[in-house]
Amino acid sequence: MLGLIAVISSNNQTVSAVKYGRGKQIVVPKDLRGKWYSYDVGRDSNKHVIEFTKYTFSGSLGNNMLIYARNGYPSYHYYAYLKDLTKKQIAENRAIEKASKHWVAGYYSRIYKKRYFCVGYWYIAREHFPSFRRVNRHINGKKVGVLVYFNGYNWVIYYPTKALAKQYKRTSVPNYKGLSFK
């Protein structure tokens, strides 16, 4: 009896994944993996950390979010006010939110003629999606890989160490244009 329960549970997981548009798991490019630090994000000037592993993203969209290809969009009911939805639509939205709470969509996009790795919310249609690209910069006489972040409105540079992030936060760099990343 116990084996039968495990099979049913496993099949429900697969059915949910297909139903909500989840495709194959995306492998994060090796040059993006690891922890990255920045003091440029937001107005608070606090340290911000993002992390990529082989299959996950931790950052603004949540922690340890599994990255999948999205095969279409789930039938999420968008609304201005919750009262505009029927009980059935609210229940359908909750089912999508529950099934996809640890998923983000992973894909590539061209931004200013450069290739970026993007992660996006699973079911929420937003125009500002986190996009990342690794570039090399000469810092203190050494070649250092930095992570360029763009979300449609803001550019931010993430560094491989906290010390570099603090040293090169925007407010402390007199000629920020010298660190061009387009």
Side-chain angles (χ1 to χ4, degrees):
M1 184 67 170
L2 202 55
L4 180 62
I5 292 171
V7 169
I8 291 171
S9 174
S10 173
N11 284 341
N12 284 342
Q13 187 84 8
T14 305
V15 169
S16 289
V18 171
K19 181 178 179 181
Y20 300 127
R22 192 179 89 185
K24 68 177 185 167
Q25 193 161 32
I26 301 292
V27 176
V28 174
K30 286 183 181 180
D31 63 343
L32 299 183
R33 295 180 199 166
K35 279 192 179 181
W36 298 89
Y37 306 89
S38 180
Y39 286 87
D40 294 347
V41 183
R43 288 181 230 144
D44 57 6
S45 293
N46 289 329
K47 176 187 73 191
H48 291 266
V49 181
I50 61 168
E51 182 176 14
F52 283 105
T53 67
K54 187 173 183 179
Y55 299 110
T56 66
F57 170 75
S58 294
S60 60
L61 305 178
N63 291 322
N64 296 314
M65 302 297 285
L66 296 167
I67 305 170
Y68 292 100
R70 185 170 35 216
N71 296 332
Y73 284 84
S75 302
Y76 195 80
H77 303 283
Y78 297 98
Y79 56 91
Y81 303 100
L82 193 57
K83 66 179 179 154
D84 295 340
L85 296 180
T86 65
K87 287 182 181 182
K88 181 181 177 187
Q89 290 172 325
I90 291 170
E92 288 171 351
N93 280 1
R94 285 195 181 133
I96 294 170
E97 291 166 7
K98 184 178 178 183
S100 66
K101 70 181 177 182
H102 297 293
W103 305 346
V104 290
Y107 51 96
Y108 288 93
S109 185
R110 293 202 81 60
I111 302 171
Y112 294 108
K113 299 182 183 177
K114 303 291 182 183
R115 188 173 190 229
Y116 281 76
F117 181 72
C118 307
V119 290
Y121 292 97
W122 194 259
Y123 57 87
I124 299 174
R126 296 207 175 155
E127 59 187 40
H128 50 88
F129 46 87
S131 306
F132 301 92
R133 180 172 161 261
R134 184 176 170 146
V135 297
N136 290 318
R137 291 289 168 252
H138 289 283
I139 299 176
N140 300 330
K142 295 180 183 174
K143 193 175 184 179
V144 178
V146 299
L147 198 62
V148 176
Y149 162 91
F150 181 66
N151 71 356
Y153 299 103
N154 301 306
W155 294 97
V156 174
I157 298 179
Y158 281 90
Y159 296 88
T161 66
K162 294 176 196 175
L164 280 176
K166 207 169 216 179
Q167 179 182 353
Y168 284 96
K169 69 180 181 179
R170 280 191 195 169
T171 56
S172 67
V173 180
N175 182 9
Y176 193 66
K177 291 181 182 175
L179 291 175
S180 173
F181 39 79
K182 284 188 182 178

